[in-house]
Amino acid sequence: DGGITQSPKYLFRKEGQNVTLSCEQNLNHDAMYWYRQDPGQGLRLIYYSQIVNDFQKGDIAEGYSVSREKKESFPLTVTSAQKNPTAFYLCASSGAGGPIYGYTFGSGTRLTVV
Amino acid sequence: GQQVMQIPQYQHVQEGEDFTTYCNSSTTLSNIQWYKQRPGGHPVFLIQLVKSGEVKKQKRLTFQFGEAKKNSSLHITATQTTDVGTYFCAGPWGSTLGRLYFGRGTQLTVWP
């Protein structure tokens, strides 16, 4: 079955460390997105990519980095510059025409700084 | 800043009661989408509305898009415990058509 796979499901990071969250999709979708979710904050966009080798900053890109070397993969690195990284991270994708046909979300990664 | 206002933030109902969440924008929307996120889960796409005044139904769920395409609502008739979760509206606000802006969501709790 087609879908989006995020790994790991839970991740613990020490302060000062960089960590990379994986996002892989087999839906043949062109666009991919990373969102951060905090209680009561809804979904806030970190980065998005509409095509391979191209990506744009979202609303809260500071302290994060991404790459899009393959259509299927859009990993997110949470760097030590992100001051408050503890959150639920969601990856999503959408097909031809962008988001007008709805996003498909992965099951998310819960990142905790210890 | 917040592109869309969604109210209420929380709603607690007894099973069998109705529930409505509202989404409002200051600008005209080309379309609006609704998502549901169960506790501990991820958002799942429910529906998209495109036309002015459009009304769509999915069993006990009724979705409306305002005539001016600036607001939308989701109404659940006779809630069940399976309706528990957070409901989000989202739309391609502004000129950045390659992304969606999500409302903050309405968290629904249903008491049996």
Side-chain angles (χ1 to χ4, degrees):
Chain A
D1 288 337
I4 297 181
T5 301
Q6 287 188 245
S7 62
K9 189 170 184 178
Y10 299 95
L11 185 58
F12 298 89
R13 190 195 92 172
K14 292 183 179 179
E15 287 191 11
Q17 284 183 337
N18 293 353
V19 290
T20 297
L21 282 58
S22 171
C23 178
E24 303 278 335
Q25 56 102 353
N26 61 2
L27 299 165
N28 199 32
H29 283 173
D30 292 310
M32 298 186 73
Y33 313 82
W34 274 105
Y35 282 88
R36 169 178 172 146
Q37 187 172 34
D38 297 280
Q41 293 286 333
L43 301 173
R44 293 185 291 168
L45 184 65
I46 305 172
Y47 270 97
Y48 65 107
S49 168
Q50 294 177 283
I51 196 169
V52 174
N53 292 322
D54 188 43
F55 49 83
Q56 289 77 40
K57 292 182 179 180
D59 302 318
I60 56 167
E62 186 175 352
Y64 300 97
S65 65
V66 294
S67 63
R68 187 86 187 276
E69 298 176 0
K70 299 187 300 181
K71 187 175 184 178
E72 302 78 15
S73 178
F74 192 40
L76 173 73
T77 297
V78 184
T79 75
S80 56
Q82 171 49 237
K83 298 304 180 187
N84 185 23
T86 295
F88 187 41
Y89 291 87
L90 288 158
C91 180
S93 69
S94 63
I100 64 172
Y101 300 108
Y103 282 6
T104 300
F105 282 88
S107 56
T109 293
R110 294 190 183 276
L111 174 62
T112 303
V113 174
V114 296
Chain B
Q2 189 72 17
Q3 305 292 332
V4 58
M5 296 300 296
Q6 192 173 352
I7 56 171
Q9 187 173 357
Y10 302 97
Q11 186 76 54
H12 307 278
V13 301
Q14 193 147 19
E15 192 171 19
E17 293 182 338
D18 292 355
F19 159 77
T20 305
T21 174
Y22 301 90
C23 197
N24 297 293
S25 169
S26 58
T27 60
T28 301
L29 311 171
S30 59
N31 70 85
I32 194 163
Q33 301 177 13
W34 286 92
Y35 292 77
K36 177 184 178 181
Q37 183 177 22
R38 295 182 185 273
H42 58 276
V44 174
F45 175 72
L46 293 177
I47 206 161
Q48 178 184 249
L49 304 172
V50 178
K51 299 178 182 177
S52 169
E54 188 169 16
V55 177
K56 288 188 176 180
K57 292 190 176 183
Q58 291 179 351
K59 298 183 180 179
R60 295 178 293 104
L61 277 61
T62 301
F63 303 85
Q64 292 188 327
F65 201 10
E67 293 290 342
K69 301 182 74 174
K70 289 185 176 181
N71 56 74
S72 181
S73 65
L74 159 59
H75 179 82
I76 302 178
T77 303
T79 55
Q80 300 175 358
T81 54
T82 54
D83 296 324
V84 165
T86 301
Y87 293 85
F88 294 96
C89 62
W93 272 262
S95 60
T96 309
L97 297 180
R99 57 161 292 179
L100 290 177
Y101 291 87
F102 282 80
R104 289 192 174 185
T106 296
Q107 186 175 321
L108 173 64
T109 303
V110 180
W111 295 331

